[in-house]
Amino acid sequence: PGEDVTEEKLKGDVDTALASAQNLTMNTVVVDLTYDGHLIYASQQAPYLFTEFDVLDYLMQQAHSSGLY
């Protein structure tokens, strides 16, 4: 991506989005699998965030622990 994407930044963005969903009394989130034009999972078909941090796994764990689907 255009900027250095750190694990802390990604976690913060995920946490903020999930908190917003909860504040809106949502119980389900639909996830866009891209971040800044890159996939958040490894793929040979398209550019992806090259990071050791598994964004999708973190998002699913946080959503589930917050009572979101």
Side-chain angles (χ1 to χ4, degrees):
E3 62 181 72
D4 288 334
V5 179
T6 64
E7 180 177 332
E8 293 77 28
K9 170 136 177 56
L10 292 169
K11 283 183 176 181
D13 289 349
V14 167
D15 294 344
T16 298
L18 294 177
S20 293
Q22 285 185 300
N23 289 339
L24 293 169
T25 66
M26 295 178 172
N27 67 357
T28 304
V29 292
V30 177
V31 179
D32 183 353
L33 297 176
T34 62
Y35 182 91
D36 195 24
H38 291 72
L39 297 175
I40 62 172
Y41 60 91
S43 172
Q44 294 181 353
Q45 305 301 317
Y48 62 92
L49 290 176
F50 187 74
T51 177
E52 296 291 321
F53 174 59
D54 187 339
V55 182
L56 189 55
D57 182 59
Y58 178 78
L59 189 149
M60 291 186 307
Q61 287 182 26
Q62 293 301 105
H64 188 254
S65 70
S66 298
L68 299 167
Y69 298 97

